[in-house]
Amino acid sequence: MAERITDIGPPHFEKFLPPVIKENYGKWKYHEIPEPGVLRHVAENGAEIYSVRVASPRIMSTLQARDLCDIADKYCSGYLRFTSRHNFEFLVSDKSKLEPLKAELAKRGIPKGGTGHSITNIVHTQGWIHCHTPAIDASGVVKSVMDDLFGYFGSHKLPAQLRISLACCLNMCGAVHCSDIAILGIHRTPPKVNHERLRHLCEIPTTIAACPTGAIRPHPDKSIKSVVVNEERCMYCGNCYTMCPALPVFDSVKGGVALLVGGKVSNAKTPPMFSRLAVPYLPNNPPRWPEVVQAVRKIVTKYAEGANKWERVGEWVTRIGWEKFFEVCEIPFTFQHIDDYRWAYDTYRTSMHFKF
Amino acid sequence: MATVEFKGKTFTVDEDGFLENLDQWNTEWVDYVKDSEGIAELNDEHWKVINMLQDYYKKNGIAPMVRILSKVTGFKLKHIYELFPSGPGKGACKMAGLAKPTGCV
């Protein structure tokens, strides 16, 4: 414990602000997007700063980070930032450096974009790189989907911004529950109980309490300190495995992807919305997840064709109706789409209004 | 799974140094763990925490919440950290021979 330093917090952000931003902090007049990936902010006194937004894979090596630092040193006096969707922004105070920076990015193959009505970076999780509860991978699926939708990253051709997120299990780390399109890892098999090890690895009451459907109860044989899973009640959420390592739930064949659509967080025009189930299951098919890529593209294409200007996916679906959404996207409507959890009643149709 | 020999006793431990078999707990285990947990000498307060954790675990099948540990022992969280530098979970529960804490820790 000698010479241990604690509770110093992060360094103050002001230390890392470009002088133009520091001087005009809270005094900005307007901004514009001269081209995809470039923003221009103008202050009340006429000072301006350009931010060039570039894509990032989120998981990167120190060598890649150093490369980006080199670029920032060369064109931005060493200033850069990361956005809340893990893109990078180079902050250019000197307008004459803007074109050379863009040329350098093009030479290095670093794509700029992610502004305005585009598909910007996918907020995603750890997947098979680091987590122990995932049903699908994160980085692999994200790379496959972004490769396919790359044209939408560096352009403004959508009706509104379209946010895609991925979470590799139902814990939903990140933003899947409130994204225009959400890719979600799901299990389709109940956990396998390791009765031998359970007593040593798990707190049985916590494990029982972790189940949202009450499917877990103590082992009926009092001499066995373990639990049993009522498979009829289990919906394979994997919560019990989070609490108890003796209940592994991952199945490489049966696990897979669900797609949700129509969430948003902003209050613009309509209140924020949760995303809702669109495709209940797509197979886990590494390394390129073609079924997932295809399904996401289909939804994006149909949305781009059908939605009005400024209309988010959720607003578009609300306007045309869910039955129409399933029809235009050619997604079969199945019993899995019908909510059956606790407050499901409110999601049923209690009206005569519907389209044939 | 690794095994540890200490003062003639054998312990099976996982990669984080928690007991894999809770039946193997004994006072030698506490003695063995204290070095890696940054504790020079065990005093009565250490034992008060360890005994409370074990009693609670035997009675309820779970480790107590931090506030319950504080309330029963009378030690504020700050003092628990002074006793067990890695905290009530990684430090005290490991020494008391409880199962490794789970969830999004």
Side-chain angles (χ1 to χ4, degrees), chain A residues 197 199-200 203 205-206 242-243, chain B residues 20-23 62-63 102-103:
Chain A
R197 308 280 315 123
R199 167 173 93 84
H200 298 291
E203 300 177 342
T206 337
T242 305
M243 300 318 293
Chain B
E20 282 266 314
N21 182 344
L22 303 189
D23 305 333
I62 58 171
T102 55

Side-chain angles (χ1 to χ4, degrees), chain A residues 19-37:
Chain A
V20 183
I21 294 189
K22 212 173 201 170
E23 283 153 25
N24 296 287
Y25 204 85
K27 288 182 240 165
W28 298 98
K29 204 167 159 196
Y30 68 94
H31 79 274
E32 58 181 10
I33 310 176
E35 62 180 284

Side-chain angles (χ1 to χ4, degrees), chain A residues 1 4 132 171 173 197 199-206 225 241-245, chain B residues 1 19-23 38 57 60-63 81 85 98-100 102-104:
Chain A
M1 299 297 279
R4 180 166 169 265
H132 70 301
N171 203 29
C173 298
R197 308 280 315 123
R199 167 173 93 84
H200 298 291
L201 296 176
C202 314
E203 300 177 342
I204 291 170
T206 337
K225 271 189 80 186
Y241 177 61
T242 305
M243 300 318 293
C244 173
Chain B
M1 215 183 293
L19 277 178
E20 282 266 314
N21 182 344
L22 303 189
D23 305 333
Y57 198 82
N60 301 296
I62 58 171
Y81 269 92
L98 272 53
K100 182 159 69 183
T102 55
C104 300

